[in-house]
Amino acid sequence: MSEKIMYINAPEFEKEVLQGDKVIVDFYSTECPPCEALAHKYEELAELFGDKIKFIKIMRQDNRELAVSLGVTSSPTVLFYDKGKLVGDILRGGIKRSELIKNISLLIGEEEVKTTLNKIQKRSTECDVLILGGGPGGLTAAIYSAQAKLKTIVVDKELTGGQVKTTHMVWNYPGFPEPIPGYMLMHYMFEQAEKAGAEFRQAVDVSSVDLINKVVVVDDVETIKAKKIIISTGSSPRVIGVKGEKEYKGQGISYCATCDAKFYEGKKVVVIGGGNSAIEESLFIAKFADEITIVHQFDKLQANKMAQEKAFANPKIKFMFEHEPREFIKEGQSVNKVVVEDLKTKELKTIETDGVFIFAGMVPNLELFKDKFELDNWGYIKTDNFQRTSIKDVFAVGDVASKPYRQITVAVAEGTVAAIQAAKEIEEETKLEDNVENKISA
């Protein structure tokens, strides 16, 4: 724990923050994985910049009235003050080191920050298995690898959990007779991996990846060298390329019901898509919105039968089959109209709405590995039965890997296979190295 971090409560806020000079305040909570992910970055930066900036931590649970008065409703939340005035960004959730540094630059200047950062002693870490991505496949691989007594590190550009952590309810995961919230299922997986001994680097910037030499640089500070790498970077929502989609993202266009449905209490919403995500998330949105119009290009839904039955039975949900969106229109603060085309008659129709949710499938997250792997026709990484890729010692699991079905259970199975195979190969390679050393010494 850094001695340059001050822990205070509400009565001290006026003196230490509002009457202070340059101050950073971290509202944190106990038993909060995002807070734990932030803690070591906050401490490191306090050691670097603590002579120029006052670093403060306030436990949000014990200071709720103060937190609410400042608009702090989640942990962690980091605020930046210059002579009592709030400046810069309000950072929440999975906070990256680069985001903190950007706002520190506003307080003391970019040149001062660059000079200080150049003094950092960069570090190197070696491990047996390095897992890129903390979704269900990656976390399962971490559990098996760590339980095999292999030094295991999970690196994630976000907080662990992948797409599942933003899924409202998971209905079909074995062992849970009742639906379980997606974030809770992933929290259990994270805790199990951590208890097994896996280490985590969460909400970090991956500076570079060398798959041939199995070297990954994190936050331009830590170089991690591994014996095996497991790619579990998952996938992201597919954009549909309709006019207005890119321009109005975050202004009435959303891809996450768990994140944004609460903003549509008593309002009208359009949902684009007809697969599992579109229908299951529509059922969640229906808890808030008064009217949901599902626009789907085919004449029937592709979602699982249970979700379909619930959607058809919900009086808030109506359907426009064999229609496609052609334009999103924003008049005012957010998107308020959707132009759709009847695919049978070619007629254009306008739907009035308060917001749009798009669930049109996913695309693999491969920006870190452009042109490195052999891919299938849809752009996913090809693997063999042991999840090995076209690059030696590199495996791929979960939604980033080629397969006919993308389910949590499939990702978990692939993570299991990859970890077991990686452990077996490491054991065999270690024995071979020992035999060579014994012959040389003899």
Coordinates of all heavy atoms in Angstrom, one line a residue, residues 1 5-13 25-32 35 56-68 72 74-77:
M1 N 0.8 -1.2 0.0 CA 0.0 0.0 0.0 C 0.9 1.2 0.0 O 1.8 1.4 0.8 CB -0.9 0.0 1.2 CG -1.9 1.1 1.2 SD -3.0 1.0 2.7 CE -3.9 -0.5 2.4
I5 N -0.9 7.7 -0.6 CA -2.4 7.7 -0.8 C -3.0 8.0 0.6 O -2.7 7.4 1.6 CB -2.9 6.4 -1.3 CG1 -2.4 6.1 -2.7 CG2 -4.4 6.3 -1.3 CD1 -2.8 4.8 -3.3
M6 N -3.9 9.0 0.6 CA -4.6 9.4 1.8 C -6.0 8.8 1.8 O -6.7 9.0 0.8 CB -4.6 10.9 1.9 CG -5.4 11.5 3.1 SD -5.5 13.3 3.1 CE -3.8 13.7 3.2
Y7 N -6.4 8.2 2.9 CA -7.7 7.6 3.0 C -8.5 8.6 3.9 O -8.1 8.9 5.0 CB -7.7 6.2 3.7 CG -7.1 5.2 2.8 CD1 -5.8 5.1 2.6 CD2 -8.0 4.3 2.1 CE1 -5.2 4.1 1.7 CE2 -7.5 3.3 1.3 CZ -6.1 3.2 1.1 OH -5.6 2.3 0.2
I8 N -9.6 9.1 3.4 CA -10.4 10.1 4.2 C -11.9 9.7 4.1 O -12.3 8.8 3.4 CB -10.3 11.5 3.6 CG1 -11.0 11.6 2.2 CG2 -8.8 11.9 3.5 CD1 -11.1 13.1 1.7
N9 N -12.7 10.4 4.9 CA -14.2 10.2 5.0 C -14.8 11.6 4.7 O -14.1 12.6 4.5 CB -14.6 9.7 6.3 CG -14.3 8.2 6.5 OD1 -14.6 7.4 5.6 ND2 -13.6 7.9 7.6
A10 N -16.1 11.6 4.6 CA -16.9 12.8 4.2 C -16.5 14.1 5.0 O -16.3 15.1 4.3 CB -18.4 12.5 4.3
P11 N -16.3 14.1 6.3 CA -16.0 15.3 7.0 C -14.7 16.0 6.6 O -14.5 17.2 6.7 CB -15.9 14.8 8.5 CG -16.8 13.6 8.5 CD -16.5 12.9 7.2
E12 N -13.8 15.2 6.0 CA -12.5 15.7 5.6 C -12.5 16.2 4.1 O -11.5 16.7 3.7 CB -11.4 14.7 5.8 CG -11.3 14.2 7.2 CD -10.7 12.8 7.3 OE1 -11.5 11.8 7.1 OE2 -9.5 12.6 7.5
F13 N -13.6 15.9 3.4 CA -13.6 16.2 2.0 C -13.4 17.7 1.6 O -12.6 18.0 0.7 CB -14.9 15.7 1.4 CG -15.0 15.8 -0.1 CD1 -14.4 14.8 -0.9 CD2 -15.6 16.9 -0.8 CE1 -14.4 14.9 -2.3 CE2 -15.7 16.9 -2.2 CZ -15.1 16.0 -2.9
V25 N -9.4 11.7 -6.6 CA -10.2 11.0 -5.6 C -10.8 9.7 -6.2 O -11.4 9.8 -7.3 CB -11.4 11.9 -5.1 CG1 -12.2 11.1 -4.0 CG2 -10.9 13.2 -4.6
D26 N -10.5 8.6 -5.5 CA -11.0 7.3 -6.0 C -12.1 6.9 -5.0 O -11.8 6.6 -3.8 CB -9.8 6.3 -6.0 CG -10.3 4.9 -6.2 OD1 -11.4 4.7 -6.7 OD2 -9.6 3.9 -5.8
F27 N -13.3 6.8 -5.4 CA -14.4 6.2 -4.6 C -14.4 4.7 -4.9 O -14.7 4.3 -6.0 CB -15.7 6.9 -5.0 CG -16.0 8.2 -4.4 CD1 -15.6 9.4 -5.0 CD2 -16.7 8.3 -3.2 CE1 -15.8 10.6 -4.4 CE2 -16.9 9.5 -2.6 CZ -16.5 10.7 -3.2
Y28 N -14.1 4.0 -3.8 CA -14.0 2.5 -4.0 C -14.9 1.8 -3.1 O -15.6 2.4 -2.2 CB -12.5 2.1 -3.7 CG -12.1 2.1 -2.3 CD1 -12.1 1.0 -1.5 CD2 -11.8 3.3 -1.7 CE1 -11.7 1.0 -0.2 CE2 -11.4 3.4 -0.3 CZ -11.4 2.2 0.4 OH -11.1 2.3 1.7
S29 N -15.1 0.5 -3.3 CA -15.9 -0.4 -2.4 C -15.1 -1.6 -2.1 O -14.2 -2.0 -2.9 CB -17.2 -0.7 -3.1 OG -18.0 0.4 -3.4
T30 N -15.5 -2.3 -1.1 CA -14.9 -3.6 -0.8 C -15.6 -4.7 -1.6 O -16.7 -4.5 -2.1 CB -15.1 -3.9 0.7 OG1 -16.5 -3.9 1.1 CG2 -14.4 -2.9 1.6
E31 N -14.9 -5.8 -1.8 CA -15.4 -6.9 -2.6 C -15.9 -6.4 -3.9 O -17.0 -6.8 -4.4 CB -16.5 -7.7 -1.8 CG -16.1 -8.3 -0.5 CD -17.2 -9.1 0.2 OE1 -18.2 -9.2 -0.4 OE2 -16.9 -9.5 1.3
C32 N -15.1 -5.6 -4.6 CA -15.4 -5.0 -5.9 C -14.3 -5.3 -6.9 O -13.2 -4.7 -6.8 CB -15.5 -3.5 -5.7 SG -15.5 -2.5 -7.2
C35 N -12.6 -2.4 -8.6 CA -11.8 -1.7 -7.7 C -10.4 -2.3 -7.5 O -9.4 -1.6 -7.4 CB -12.5 -1.5 -6.3 SG -14.1 -0.7 -6.4
I56 N -6.2 10.5 -3.2 CA -7.1 10.2 -2.1 C -8.0 9.1 -2.4 O -8.4 8.9 -3.6 CB -8.0 11.5 -1.8 CG1 -7.1 12.5 -1.1 CG2 -9.2 11.1 -0.9 CD1 -7.8 13.8 -0.8
K57 N -8.4 8.3 -1.4 CA -9.3 7.2 -1.6 C -10.4 7.4 -0.5 O -10.2 7.6 0.6 CB -8.7 5.8 -1.4 CG -7.8 5.4 -2.6 CD -7.1 4.1 -2.4 CE -8.0 2.9 -2.6 NZ -8.1 2.6 -4.0
I58 N -11.7 7.2 -1.0 CA -12.8 7.3 -0.1 C -13.7 6.0 -0.3 O -14.1 5.7 -1.4 CB -13.7 8.5 -0.4 CG1 -12.8 9.8 -0.3 CG2 -14.9 8.6 0.5 CD1 -13.6 11.1 -0.7
M59 N -14.0 5.3 0.8 CA -14.9 4.1 0.7 C -16.3 4.6 0.4 O -16.9 5.3 1.3 CB -14.8 3.3 1.9 CG -15.6 2.0 1.8 SD -15.5 0.9 3.2 CE -13.9 0.2 3.0
R60 N -16.9 4.2 -0.7 CA -18.2 4.7 -1.1 C -19.3 4.2 -0.1 O -20.2 5.0 0.2 CB -18.5 4.3 -2.5 CG -19.8 4.9 -3.1 CD -19.9 4.7 -4.6 NE -20.2 3.3 -4.9 CZ -21.4 2.7 -5.0 NH1 -22.5 3.5 -4.8 NH2 -21.5 1.5 -5.3
Q61 N -19.2 3.0 0.3 CA -20.3 2.5 1.2 C -20.4 3.3 2.5 O -21.5 3.5 3.0 CB -20.0 1.0 1.6 CG -20.1 0.0 0.4 CD -18.7 -0.5 0.1 OE1 -17.7 0.3 0.0 NE2 -18.5 -1.8 0.0
D62 N -19.2 3.7 3.0 CA -19.2 4.5 4.3 C -19.5 6.0 4.1 O -19.7 6.7 5.1 CB -17.9 4.3 5.0 CG -17.7 2.9 5.4 OD1 -18.6 2.1 5.5 OD2 -16.5 2.5 5.7
N63 N -19.6 6.4 2.9 CA -19.8 7.8 2.6 C -20.8 8.0 1.5 O -20.6 8.8 0.5 CB -18.4 8.5 2.2 CG -17.4 8.4 3.3 OD1 -17.4 9.2 4.2 ND2 -16.6 7.3 3.3
R64 N -21.9 7.3 1.6 CA -22.9 7.3 0.5 C -23.5 8.7 0.3 O -23.7 9.1 -0.9 CB -24.1 6.4 0.9 CG -23.7 4.9 0.8 CD -24.9 4.0 1.0 NE -24.4 2.6 1.0 CZ -24.2 1.9 -0.1 NH1 -24.3 2.4 -1.3 NH2 -23.8 0.6 0.0
E65 N -23.8 9.5 1.3 CA -24.4 10.8 1.1 C -23.4 11.7 0.3 O -23.9 12.4 -0.6 CB -24.7 11.4 2.5 CG -25.5 12.7 2.3 CD -25.9 13.3 3.7 OE1 -25.9 12.5 4.7 OE2 -26.1 14.5 3.8
L66 N -22.2 11.7 0.6 CA -21.2 12.5 -0.1 C -21.1 12.0 -1.6 O -21.1 12.8 -2.5 CB -19.8 12.4 0.5 CG -18.6 12.9 -0.3 CD1 -18.8 14.5 -0.4 CD2 -17.3 12.6 0.4
A67 N -21.1 10.7 -1.7 CA -20.9 10.1 -3.1 C -22.1 10.5 -4.0 O -22.0 11.0 -5.1 CB -20.9 8.6 -3.0
V68 N -23.3 10.4 -3.4 CA -24.5 10.7 -4.2 C -24.5 12.2 -4.5 O -24.9 12.6 -5.6 CB -25.8 10.4 -3.4 CG1 -27.1 10.9 -4.1 CG2 -25.9 8.8 -3.3
V72 N -21.7 10.2 -7.8 CA -21.0 8.9 -7.8 C -22.0 7.8 -7.4 O -22.4 7.8 -6.2 CB -19.8 9.0 -6.8 CG1 -19.1 7.6 -6.7 CG2 -18.8 10.1 -7.3
S74 N -21.4 4.4 -8.6 CA -20.9 3.1 -8.8 C -19.4 3.1 -8.4 O -18.8 4.2 -8.3 CB -21.0 2.7 -10.3 OG -20.3 3.6 -11.1
S75 N -18.8 1.9 -8.2 CA -17.4 1.8 -7.8 C -16.7 1.0 -8.8 O -17.2 0.0 -9.3 CB -17.3 1.2 -6.4 OG -18.0 1.9 -5.4
P76 N -15.4 1.4 -9.1 CA -14.8 2.6 -8.7 C -15.2 3.8 -9.5 O -15.6 3.6 -10.7 CB -13.3 2.3 -8.9 CG -13.3 1.4 -10.1 CD -14.5 0.6 -10.0
T77 N -15.2 5.0 -9.0 CA -15.3 6.2 -9.7 C -14.2 7.1 -9.3 O -13.9 7.3 -8.1 CB -16.7 6.9 -9.4 OG1 -17.7 6.1 -9.8 CG2 -16.8 8.3 -10.1

